Amino acid sequence: MSAHPDFHDHSLCSDHGGEHPSVWDLPQVPLGLKREWLALETRRHFLGRGVKALGAAGLATLLGRTAPNLLANVAAAGTPGPNFAPKAKRAIYLFMAGSPSQFETWDYKPGLAKMFDQDLPESVRGGQVLTGMTASQARFPIAPSRYAFAQHGKAGHWVSELFPHTAKIADELCVLKSLHTEAINHEPAILQLTTGNMFAGRPSIGAWLSYGLGAANDELPTFVVMTSKMPVRTNVQALSNRLWSSGFLSPEHAAVALRAGNDPVLYINNPAGVDGDLRQAMIAGVNDLNRQLFERVGDPEINARIAQYEMAFRMQTSVPELTDFSSEPASTWELYGPKAKEPGTYAYNCLMARRLAERGVRFTQVFLRTWDQHSNLPTNIKVMAEESDRATYALVTDLKQRGLLDDTLVIWGGEFGRTVYSQGVLRPDNYGRDHHPRCFSMWLAGGGVKPGVSYGETDDFSYNIVKDPVHIRDLHATLLHLFGLDHNKLSFKFQGLDQRLTGVLPSRVIDAILA
Amino acid sequence: MRSSLELKERRTWRWLLCLAGGSVAAAAEPTFYAARVAPVLDRHCVVCHGPEKKKAGLRLDSFDHLMAGAESGSIVKPGDVKGSELHRRITLPATDEEVMPSDGKPSLSADEIKIIALWIEAGASPTKSLADFPTAPALRPARVAPVPLAPSWREKAAEIAALEKKFGVKLVPRSQVPTDGLVLRSASAPQRCNDQVLAGLAPVARFIVDAELARTPVTDAGLKALGSWENLRAIDLTRTKVTSAGLAALSGLKHLEVINLTDTAVDDAGVTTLRALPGLKRAWLFGSKATVTQYPVATAP
């Protein structure tokens, strides 16, 4: 697929169905756009025939889509391109699934130390409905952070002692302390962050970027996802491809999941006894058959499949080069630490994320899960922080030294916050925290975000937001803005709506954190 | 941010007062209407409701006009935000037929709506001062039109497309604004983007503001070509064979802001050369032979 944005006003591109000169005849249209057009043309072709012969509606329904959507999609397809000059060329989203507690990480609440085991004032909770896991507790005793905080950098960010490495890059970080969400459970909450909606089936952020901006490198997927080895084995969050799907967008916008080990992308290696030429001939044959099938039934998904086969074939050469770390200098291993040599670890994935960024992959999402400390929080969060801290610091530092941080946005955070009160037993050295959607912290670095600032405030119990709330929609609007995309304009017609990553509820770009 | 803007505004005002003799009382501070409400209406409404076009018989270019209302009557009920047609029209969903501004023009920001609401609530006064509205948000300055970085490439689209095809590179518009320039992308096939290709791109070089050349076979000979790409803002030469000697060819690039020389053989002599570039903000030198990893040496953000 070409990366050419569509410079045309979309309202002008309609499927009028009549005779028109071929797009190849138009002198002012760049080649990339023409290619996009050709892809569309195949859909037009089907629709034209469908209307004349078969009745597009019936057939399209058979194929799992309804005709009106198909028609609408034709008008909406193509690559919209940045509305204005972007700051970020790529993003790396370090997703801390399970949700790190804000109390032990980024939202320092010194006043709580004196309130150990006191009851959370009723007025703070304000009658909020609690999750089933703590609703039946007789008491809601305050659990101060077991870990100390100190100020770091010129920015003076308060950083937990659990993150000694991240503390060194404090001046690069924009810490958001006032994120909030509606979801109270992991799956919907993670979906809301990755796709903008608690229900599965929407395109993920990376898919929207792929749709909106196209590929910068045709040899690699535009959107890559990696899940990391789990440091802890309790309270494991399910991660599935609904978190990185293309939803109603064309399937080529979905992420390719890179796996640990010898087969980073499943099934792209040649089976034993099959050489490259044979494989190429085979793919050409399959694609021929697919094209014939397309001629008969006209499902645009068939074309997407053809594109996928071709991409898979190209990845046969691009992926081995990508995953061969032998050219990395010794300084890389000193920076990322020995774990980065072990495929599948978070540290390895962070290094891979840098290599993907260097090669123009637009959106890389790395998941590190098991941050879900309902009990034994002090012990387990330490294990998690150790896993995350050094590699995260290494990634930001590495991007910075290689001149990539200015146009690479890094995001670190989980899917919601945790409660100020202890879930289960409370001892000074042991407690747990339940899910808390009303406020949580995240940080951003690079990619056109103001470094060394903090945004938003919570009350003394980090229970409610008192200043500058940031909904997930606002985060998404801001992210798209950094890529030069107006979140109101990046849309795709589906089910009768102009669907957007930010949905229909009000959302805003957080101007105050733009560099 | 917000407060510093406001501060500046007040300072300018005081300064003007000093010029005027300095003895004018504080009452001469700008009215909230003039400082906040009028600019919002000017920005969003006056094109259709002003001296030229008076849609629905409504003008919004002065306090008196605003209060005179439309053909159908007044649109502001002092003290009654919900009952004011002005407020209703700007808070409708973007898809509503009656929403203002009409014709799909960008809707008012939450801050702008809040300014109008606070003002109506406090009696829609023409005289109340800024200080009477301590909770009112400040206005963001109107987005200035982007500075053109390069001439519009539109006329040359066919030629650009032909060169893309010929050389196996991408020439991608940075945005829908054609004067934002093009990015030269080589990531799909870096090995193809060699010195000859750079020389061959000369006919469209003035449109290119960002040259992504990491891991290409580009050498000092290629830098000679780049030296005439007058509108370049950024060049990425990571892991190429360029040397300090070659950098001299870039001395005419007065707009160049960022050059990435990570993992190259460039040394301190190259840094000296770069220092002469008038617009240079940052050179990245990690993994090079220079004694610094970036120039100018980092000052914390």
Side-chain angles (χ1 to χ4, degrees):
Chain A
M1 294 302 295
S2 160
H4 254 298
D6 178 356
F7 335 110
H8 283 234
D9 182 346
H10 267 275
S11 58
L12 300 177
C13 309
S14 69
D15 182 37
H16 45 72
E19 290 298 318
H20 50 80
S22 151
V23 70
W24 303 101
D25 302 329
L26 300 174
Q28 310 246 320
V29 179
L31 186 66
L33 181 58
K34 289 181 178 174
R35 280 194 222 107
E36 290 279 350
W37 201 285
L38 187 69
L40 274 182
E41 199 61 30
T42 49
R43 296 182 191 189
R44 284 163 200 273
H45 169 83
F46 162 61
L47 286 167
R49 270 184 18 153
V51 173
K52 283 184 210 118
L54 302 163
L59 187 61
T61 309
L62 260 181
L63 293 167
R65 290 196 185 209
T66 60
N69 297 338
L70 253 173
L71 275 164
N73 292 353
V74 170
T79 306
N83 305 101
F84 42 86
K87 289 280 172 57
K89 288 182 173 177
R90 42 194 119 63
I92 299 171
Y93 189 161
L94 306 171
F95 202 115
M96 302 297 123
S99 289
S101 154
Q102 70 272 34
F103 296 93
E104 281 76 14
T105 57
W106 297 101
D107 202 7
Y108 178 43
K109 293 296 167 193
L112 297 179
K114 295 190 299 285
M115 304 178 81
F116 174 77
D117 204 20
Q118 291 179 21
D119 288 311
L120 175 67
E122 193 68 38
S123 59
V124 173
R125 188 145 67 89
Q128 185 203 0
V129 179
L130 302 177
T131 76
M133 301 179 90
T134 48
S136 58
Q137 281 188 196
R139 287 188 61 219
F140 299 101
I142 289 172
S145 167
R146 162 131 176 60
Y147 296 99
F149 280 69
Q151 277 184 297
H152 290 271
K154 286 194 180 159
H157 284 311
W158 286 97
V159 187
S160 154
E161 63 179 319
L162 290 172
F163 295 88
H165 292 285
T166 312
K168 291 183 274 184
I169 49 165
D171 284 336
E172 303 297 341
L173 308 183
C174 167
V175 183
L176 307 176
K177 295 182 179 160
S178 53
L179 265 296
H180 62 109
T181 175
E182 289 83 30
I184 56 164
N185 243 319
H186 299 288
E187 172 84 2
I190 300 175
L191 268 168
Q192 197 169 0
L193 269 154
T194 53
T195 73
N197 200 295
M198 281 194 253
F199 296 100
R202 307 293 168 125
S204 188
I205 305 167
W208 278 111
L209 289 175
S210 169
Y211 160 70
L213 301 170
N217 181 345
D218 296 336
E219 306 299 303
L220 285 173
T222 313
F223 174 19
V224 169
V225 63
M226 291 177 278
T227 51
S228 312
K229 284 188 179 164
M230 292 178 280
V232 177
R233 288 277 157 186
T234 48
N235 291 346
V236 176
Q237 294 71 52
L239 300 176
S240 68
N241 59 7
R242 19 190 196 172
L243 302 174
W244 51 87
S245 92
S246 56
F248 41 71
L249 299 175
S250 177
E252 74 257 22
H253 300 302
V256 165
L258 278 191
R259 303 162 66 254
N262 296 332
D263 245 350
V265 181
L266 274 182
Y267 314 124
I268 63 164
N269 287 344
N270 296 333
V274 175
D275 65 12
D277 288 346
L278 184 55
R279 180 77 166 218
Q280 188 169 14
M282 196 180 92
I283 288 173
V286 170
N287 281 350
D288 261 358
L289 289 174
N290 275 332
R291 282 193 193 97
Q292 286 173 30
L293 183 65
F294 178 80
E295 277 299 310
R296 271 195 291 126
V297 301
D299 183 356
E301 306 245 333
I302 297 172
N303 273 355
R305 175 170 298 201
I306 294 172
Q308 305 283 73
Y309 273 116
E310 286 167 354
M311 168 58 83
F313 187 69
R314 291 197 299 275
M315 283 199 289
Q316 285 197 322
T317 42
S318 61
V319 168
E321 190 274 338
L322 169 76
T323 54
D324 175 8
F325 287 10
S326 61
S327 63
E328 289 292 338
S331 62
T332 296
W333 308 112
E334 281 155 31
L335 184 62
Y336 288 82
K339 273 199 170 170
K341 290 202 166 165
E342 195 188 315
T345 59
Y346 177 72
Y348 176 97
N349 289 345
C350 283
L351 177 54
M352 182 69 87
R354 189 264 281 161
R355 293 175 65 89
L356 289 164
E358 285 178 306
R359 285 159 182 76
V361 169
R362 273 199 207 285
F363 196 71
T364 300
Q365 194 146 17
V366 178
F367 286 94
L368 174 61
R369 53 185 152 171
T370 65
W371 284 93
D372 190 23
Q373 289 111 14
H374 290 277
S375 56
N376 295 322
L377 184 142
T379 318
N380 284 343
I381 201 169
K382 190 156 192 288
V383 175
M384 294 305 297
E386 273 164 11
E387 190 75 7
S388 174
D389 180 40
R390 176 164 181 184
T392 305
Y393 150 80
L395 174 61
V396 173
T397 305
D398 204 11
L399 291 170
K400 171 94 180 180
Q401 70 192 5
R402 290 170 185 275
L404 292 167
L405 189 61
D406 286 343
D407 47 24
T408 307
L409 174 67
V410 182
I411 307 169
W412 186 100
E415 64 270 28
F416 39 55
R418 306 204 76 96
T419 54
V420 62
Y421 58 82
S422 180
Q423 174 173 359
V425 259
L426 169 62
R427 290 202 310 262
D429 62 348
N430 198 5
Y431 50 87
R433 296 191 192 276
D434 197 4
H435 306 170
H436 185 67
R438 287 190 178 186
C439 54
F440 62 110
S441 304
M442 283 178 109
W443 59 252
L444 313 176
V449 166
K450 236 183 227 170
V453 300
S454 165
Y455 185 82
E457 283 170 31
T458 57
D459 63 15
D460 294 343
F461 304 90
S462 192
Y463 202 96
N464 298 298
I465 295 166
V466 294
K467 191 166 171 233
D468 297 329
V470 178
H471 193 271
I472 290 164
R473 289 186 293 277
D474 304 329
L475 180 73
H476 287 160
T478 308
L479 185 149
L480 293 181
H481 179 91
L482 293 168
F483 277 90
L485 294 164
D486 179 338
H487 71 99
N488 283 313
K489 293 190 180 145
L490 183 68
S491 67
F492 188 86
K493 270 219 195 310
F494 180 69
Q495 292 182 338
L497 278 180
D498 288 325
Q499 305 274 355
R500 308 188 312 214
L501 173 61
T502 49
V504 294
L505 294 170
S507 46
R508 67 184 178 113
V509 173
I510 315 162
D511 286 308
I513 65 163
L514 304 179
Chain B
M1 225 179 82
R2 179 175 291 174
S3 57
S4 77
L5 219 149
E6 205 150 340
L7 218 81
K8 201 165 139 206
E9 192 173 331
R10 291 202 176 183
R11 266 194 222 123
T12 331
W13 188 252
R14 296 242 159 80
W15 184 74
L16 283 172
L17 286 181
C18 289
L19 280 184
S23 61
V24 192
E29 284 221 358
T31 64
F32 187 73
Y33 179 81
R36 293 288 180 275
V37 180
V40 171
L41 301 177
D42 281 348
R43 191 181 293 174
H44 294 282
C45 321
V46 170
V47 275
C48 298
H49 300 287
E52 274 140 44
K53 291 185 195 165
K54 307 175 188 59
K55 299 283 183 182
L58 176 66
R59 281 181 65 165
L60 297 171
D61 53 330
S62 75
F63 175 77
D64 292 339
H65 282 121
L66 166 60
M67 299 313 280
E71 278 156 10
S72 61
S74 80
I75 64 164
V76 177
K77 282 197 194 151
D80 181 3
V81 178
K82 291 266 140 48
S84 293
E85 182 70 3
L86 171 65
H87 185 263
R88 190 183 73 85
R89 291 285 187 133
I90 58 176
T91 49
L92 291 166
T95 47
D96 193 295
E97 277 192 358
E98 295 200 321
V99 72
M100 289 291 144
S102 65
D103 287 358
K105 295 212 170 9
S107 36
L108 270 60
S109 71
D111 279 353
E112 289 169 328
I113 292 171
K114 191 166 175 202
I115 285 168
I116 304 276
L118 286 171
W119 179 72
I120 298 178
E121 190 182 316
S125 153
T127 51
K128 281 198 170 156
S129 77
L130 258 182
D132 295 326
F133 294 84
T135 59
L139 278 180
R140 279 199 299 126
R143 278 233 169 88
V144 274
V147 189
L149 305 186
S152 165
W153 46 262
R154 276 193 202 278
E155 310 298 302
K156 296 283 179 200
E159 191 176 351
I160 291 167
L163 290 172
E164 276 190 299
K165 195 170 175 188
K166 179 169 171 198
F167 293 130
V169 294
K170 295 187 188 202
L171 291 164
V172 189
R174 279 182 72 230
S175 81
Q176 289 167 0
V177 181
T179 52
D180 271 345
L182 301 175
V183 184
L184 167 60
R185 293 226 148 105
S186 60
S188 294
Q191 68 290 350
R192 285 190 65 180
C193 190
N194 56 24
D195 295 338
Q196 288 73 36
V197 168
L198 295 187
L201 289 172
V204 299
R206 66 185 181 287
F207 306 117
I208 301 172
V209 298
D210 183 356
E212 297 181 348
L213 301 168
R215 277 178 292 275
T216 60
V218 166
T219 69
D220 288 350
L223 295 186
K224 284 221 177 65
L226 287 187
S228 64
W229 296 15
E230 59 202 291
N231 290 315
L232 272 179
R233 272 19 184 220
I235 313 178
D236 186 355
L237 291 161
T238 298
R239 216 161 299 163
T240 56
K241 298 217 159 55
V242 300
T243 69
S244 292
L247 293 178
L250 304 181
S251 60
L253 297 179
K254 56 180 187 299
H255 298 301
L256 189 67
E257 292 176 0
V258 182
I259 184 164
N260 197 332
L261 297 162
T262 299
D263 291 339
T264 61
V266 168
D267 57 16
D268 287 345
V271 179
T272 310
T273 309
L274 293 172
R275 207 170 279 165
L277 286 168
L280 194 74
K281 290 186 183 150
R282 187 75 76 203
W284 300 101
L285 294 151
F286 176 77
S288 74
K289 300 215 165 84
T291 47
V292 290
T293 56
Q294 52 179 284
Y295 167 83
V297 177
T299 48

